[in-house]
Amino acid sequence: MSEPARRRMTIAQNMAYILRAIGIIRKVYPWYLTLANTLSVLGALEPLTALYFSARIIDELSGGRDAGRIALYAGVAVGLAFVIRGLMTLITYKRDSLYRTGLEWLRERRFYSERFARMDYEYTEDRRVNESLEKIMELSNGTGAGLRILFWNIPELTRQLVGTIAAAALLAGMFTFTTGTGGTFITSPWAAALLFLSVFIPVIVRTALTGRNLRAHKELIESNVQSNVLHRYYRNYITSGSAGKDIRIFAQQPYVLSLLFRPLTWLRNFSRTMSGTSGLTSAANAFVGGLAYVLIGLRALAGMYTIGQVTQYVGAVTAFALSLAGLISTAATIWENNVFLSLVYEYLDLPGLKYRGTLTTEKRQDNEYTLEFHDVSFRYPGSQQYALKNLSLRLNIGERLAVVGMNGSGKTTMIKLLTRLYDPVEGFITLNGIDIKKYDYDEYIRIFAVVFQDFKLPALPLGQNVAAGLDYDPARARKALEETGFGGRLDELPRGLDTPLYKDYDEDGLSVSGGEAQKIALARAIYRDAPFVILDEPTAALDPLAEFEIYSRFDSIIGGKTAVYISHRLSSCRFCHNIAVFHQGRIVQQGSHETLLADEGGKYAELWNAQAQHYV
């Protein structure tokens, strides 16, 4: 949302933004606001209760000197201080044990990451969505803009609100005056009005400067995001092993370091603005505070206040002015933060793009599932060019289908449609004669085990990687690894299936080669035990002979399951029952290896002859 658009929001809309953010904070940080707000209330009342009873004790000392009353006031003051301080200690301990200071960003990041993990897949490939999440995280990490502004400032707002109300209550009798003859200016309504004005002038000055501060803070937030992005990029570039050679060979150190540590003009401007505001506010506080103290003293000499009341009013004036000015400033910060909350809500409110369906996929022991594409066409969001056009294809039970073609011919796009990562733009796909959109989405995708070319293995224990979960059957996981040829390496590992992959979080982690990672990914597909198995060029980095051997071995492992093998190397899939040749998003040929090769003018023969030198 742009700044002008936010300015057009009604008060009710702005309040709805803030209340929704508070609701999210309560969800992400249960009990935090309750604990923090209680702590704020106690923190605001603690000094003012001490001020009130100190004034009562002073009045008694200068008046009746009743020892019993003095003891009562002192006892109540000490008791309240003890109770308040004890409660604050307990609440602080509880709050910090739940949400350790400085680590609140972990829960926030998990909240955003969980949303990203659960949104429709096509959003994850949308550059705008990724940039939106990146900006939200940069804003939060840099200056707290978004949810964290409220995380910090709602308790502060509570403290200042309670402090303002409590201080105002202590000032209730300060503005008395007398009328008629015999009075002086000090006892007149004019002096009471001047005293009232002296209390509010620092608040007026602070309020007048709030707009300037907020503009400076907004500039800081936006500049900080850009600076952090550049800083992280050049820091990663400097520490990258692959860039290290270029940096040294081409003597890039001075150039790169100058970009990394270039002057932060925006930070200097912000500091200058805030220093000026602080100076003006302090000057106003000093001048008007002095005026208020003089008036209170003169009115006390005129017999309008007791000595205890002087003590009470002098302390309460300062507390009231600071609390009210802080209340206005904090409220304005929260209000202006709505422009950044709008980014959060736009990300959280991305609509579901897929019809989820309700039909259950029949759990067949015989794995008799038939999938069919019916004149399917597809183009990626934002593109006018079709990635697939008029695709009609049937996957028969237990069949080995090879999908071959040059890079960019639509092979992987077909798999994305088959597994409902995307839905067709035109046409439809059926499972056992029923449109796949009508099936329960989560159940439907469980009938597939896919190994993509760009598969990822997380830095978790080996067994959890194979099972794709925390709980798993060790015997099944071991068998799957043995079937893909990883058994020998597994036997060498002292921690076996509990061995963590990579060294990201454990210095004893296992660093696997590309070939070993592929075997683990294939084992993950075997462990899933799904009726449809798809290999989307996971071995593209290997030489043709090695790829053929892996495909052939894997084919013998999966038995009677339906399998789809994708490759731009024709030799790897020649054992398949049926081969579909893709070109420019269409199937241009289909048949067995021998049949397609016999068509010397066909695309398959052209590709085979072009690659033949690698197969000899």
Side-chain angles (χ1 to χ4, degrees):
M1 179 187 296
S2 65
E3 178 68 14
R6 199 207 65 76
R7 295 290 182 188
R8 291 193 294 271
M9 289 173 59
T10 64
I11 293 176
Q13 288 172 323
N14 275 287
M15 285 302 302
Y17 265 44
I18 295 169
L19 292 175
R20 181 181 177 185
I22 292 174
I24 292 173
I25 292 172
R26 289 189 180 278
K27 176 183 177 182
V28 177
Y29 310 94
W31 288 102
Y32 169 77
L33 286 180
T34 300
L35 294 170
N37 284 331
T38 303
L39 198 60
S40 294
V41 171
L42 294 173
L45 292 177
E46 182 183 28
L48 296 178
T49 55
L51 178 63
Y52 174 80
F53 284 105
S54 296
R56 302 291 75 75
I57 292 172
I58 291 173
D59 273 343
E60 195 60 40
L61 288 172
S62 61
R65 297 191 176 187
D66 185 330
R69 189 176 294 276
I70 292 172
L72 174 64
Y73 288 148
V76 173
V78 172
L80 280 176
F82 179 80
V83 171
I84 290 174
R85 180 51 54 182
L87 288 173
M88 290 179 68
T89 301
L90 289 174
I91 293 171
T92 300
Y93 173 79
K94 182 66 174 177
R95 182 199 62 187
D96 291 348
S97 65
L98 290 174
Y99 311 107
R100 188 160 300 280
T101 304
L103 296 180
E104 65 274 2
W105 61 272
L106 286 173
R107 284 176 176 258
E108 183 185 21
R109 176 161 292 185
R110 177 179 176 178
F111 172 70
Y112 291 131
S113 298
E114 182 177 354
R115 173 69 180 112
F116 193 84
R118 295 183 183 279
M119 65 175 53
D120 289 333
Y121 174 78
E122 58 191 89
Y123 282 131
T124 70
E125 292 194 329
D126 189 324
R127 175 184 55 82
R128 294 167 299 179
V129 173
N130 282 276
E131 288 178 351
S132 175
L133 177 58
E134 181 71 15
K135 185 171 184 179
I136 289 170
M137 295 310 304
E138 287 294 345
L139 285 168
S140 180
N141 294 336
T143 57
L147 291 178
R148 221 181 302 179
I149 284 284
L150 276 83
F151 180 91
W152 294 329
N153 282 280
I154 290 298
E156 181 66 13
L157 188 73
T158 300
R159 185 183 68 81
Q160 292 158 345
L161 177 62
V162 172
T164 300
I165 294 172
L170 293 180
L171 293 175
M174 189 177 72
F175 303 104
T176 57
F177 56 86
T178 60
T179 57
T181 60
T184 64
F185 174 79
I186 294 300
T187 62
S188 70
W190 292 105
L194 182 60
L195 184 58
F196 183 85
L197 185 62
S198 71
V199 173
F200 279 93
I201 284 180
V203 177
I204 295 171
V205 172
R206 179 72 176 268
T207 303
L209 295 173
T210 294
R212 179 189 180 197
N213 289 352
L214 290 175
R215 287 191 296 273
H217 190 251
K218 185 172 183 294
E219 180 184 351
L220 167 71
I221 291 172
E222 294 174 345
S223 300
N224 189 63
V225 169
Q226 300 170 2
S227 177
N228 283 347
V229 170
L230 290 174
H231 189 276
R232 185 175 62 253
Y233 172 80
Y234 287 116
R235 185 186 68 243
N236 292 339
Y237 180 79
I238 289 173
T239 58
S240 168
S242 57
K245 298 185 291 293
D246 297 314
I247 290 174
R248 286 155 181 81
I249 295 298
F250 293 99
Q252 293 179 326
Q253 294 93 334
Y255 170 67
V256 175
L257 290 173
S258 68
L259 294 172
L260 183 62
F261 298 109
R262 62 184 177 177
L264 302 179
T265 305
W266 53 270
L267 186 57
R268 287 201 299 267
N269 292 339
F270 175 76
S271 299
R272 189 180 301 116
T273 299
M274 299 308 292
S275 297
T277 298
S278 178
L280 289 173
T281 304
S282 297
N285 287 340
F287 174 76
V288 181
L291 176 61
Y293 297 160
V294 168
L295 289 172
I296 291 171
L298 291 174
R299 286 164 72 85
L301 291 175
M304 299 186 71
Y305 305 145
T306 66
I307 296 176
Q309 286 177 320
V310 171
T311 303
Q312 176 178 314
Y313 295 153
V314 167
V317 163
T318 302
F320 179 82
L322 291 176
S323 294
L324 182 57
L327 178 67
I328 294 171
S329 177
T330 302
T333 298
I334 292 174
W335 197 264
E336 291 297 320
N337 183 59
N338 279 346
V339 70
F340 302 110
L341 284 178
S342 67
L343 298 175
V344 174
Y345 297 153
E346 287 170 8
Y347 170 74
L348 296 178
D349 294 339
L350 289 171
L353 302 176
K354 287 182 173 57
Y355 177 71
R356 293 281 167 168
T358 56
L359 295 180
T360 182
T361 54
E362 185 181 0
K363 295 178 176 60
R364 305 179 62 103
Q365 296 298 320
D366 56 9
N367 284 336
E368 292 205 5
Y369 298 92
T370 301
L371 280 161
E372 187 169 1
F373 287 76
H374 300 265
D375 199 26
V376 169
S377 295
F378 177 77
R379 57 177 179 265
Y380 286 95
S383 173
Q384 298 302 314
Q385 182 177 356
Y386 280 93
L388 283 179
K389 187 68 175 174
N390 304 123
L391 174 63
S392 294
L393 179 67
R394 181 184 177 90
L395 278 72
N396 296 313
I397 301 164
E399 181 183 59
R400 305 296 195 261
L401 171 68
V403 179
V404 300
M406 299 175 65
N407 291 333
S409 60
K411 305 186 299 297
T412 296
T413 299
M414 184 201 80
I415 300 305
K416 289 179 178 179
L417 296 179
L418 183 64
T419 54
R420 286 209 70 194
L421 295 177
Y422 287 92
D423 285 331
V425 173
E426 300 166 14
F428 58 96
I429 305 170
T430 59
L431 171 64
N432 292 346
I434 300 174
D435 191 330
I436 61 175
K437 292 182 181 179
K438 296 182 179 181
Y439 288 102
D440 179 271
Y441 178 77
D442 294 326
E443 283 198 19
Y444 174 76
I445 60 175
R446 278 198 290 270
I447 70 172
F448 296 99
V450 187
V451 184
F452 288 102
Q453 179 178 350
D454 55 349
F455 67 86
K456 298 293 182 184
L457 298 176
L460 293 171
L462 182 57
Q464 294 179 13
N465 263 282
V466 174
L470 298 177
D471 300 320
Y472 64 94
D473 182 341
R476 278 183 59 200
R478 172 174 286 277
K479 181 181 179 183
L481 288 167
E482 289 173 346
E483 288 178 335
T484 61
F486 195 82
R489 184 69 190 278
L490 178 60
D491 292 335
E492 297 173 356
L493 302 175
R495 296 166 64 179
L497 294 173
D498 293 327
T499 303
L501 284 188
Y502 312 118
K503 299 182 183 294
D504 299 66
Y505 306 109
D506 193 323
E507 62 181 14
D508 295 327
L510 176 66
S511 296
V512 294
S513 65
E516 289 174 328
Q518 289 159 354
K519 292 176 181 178
I520 297 170
L522 293 170
R524 182 168 60 184
I526 294 171
Y527 185 94
R528 189 176 177 90
D529 194 27
F532 284 91
V533 181
I534 302 170
L535 301 190
D536 183 9
E537 298 194 88
T539 56
L542 301 181
D543 61 78
L545 180 60
E547 182 180 69
F548 175 73
E549 289 176 348
I550 288 177
Y551 272 33
S552 299
R553 184 196 310 148
F554 192 80
D555 188 68
S556 65
I557 293 171
I558 63 174
K561 300 180 187 295
T562 304
V564 179
Y565 296 91
I566 295 180
S567 181
H568 64 278
R569 294 172 178 156
L570 278 59
S571 66
S572 300
C573 304
R574 61 181 184 267
F575 61 83
C576 292
H577 306 135
N578 188 19
I579 300 175
V581 184
F582 276 60
H583 184 62
Q584 296 180 347
R586 299 174 183 268
I587 293 181
V588 294
Q589 284 182 287
Q590 192 170 352
S592 66
H593 169 71
E594 291 75 16
T595 302
L596 294 174
L597 199 57
D599 184 2
E600 297 181 356
K603 189 68 178 177
Y604 187 85
E606 176 191 334
L607 293 172
W608 178 270
N609 292 327
Q611 298 176 11
Q613 58 178 318
H614 302 295
Y615 309 147
V616 178

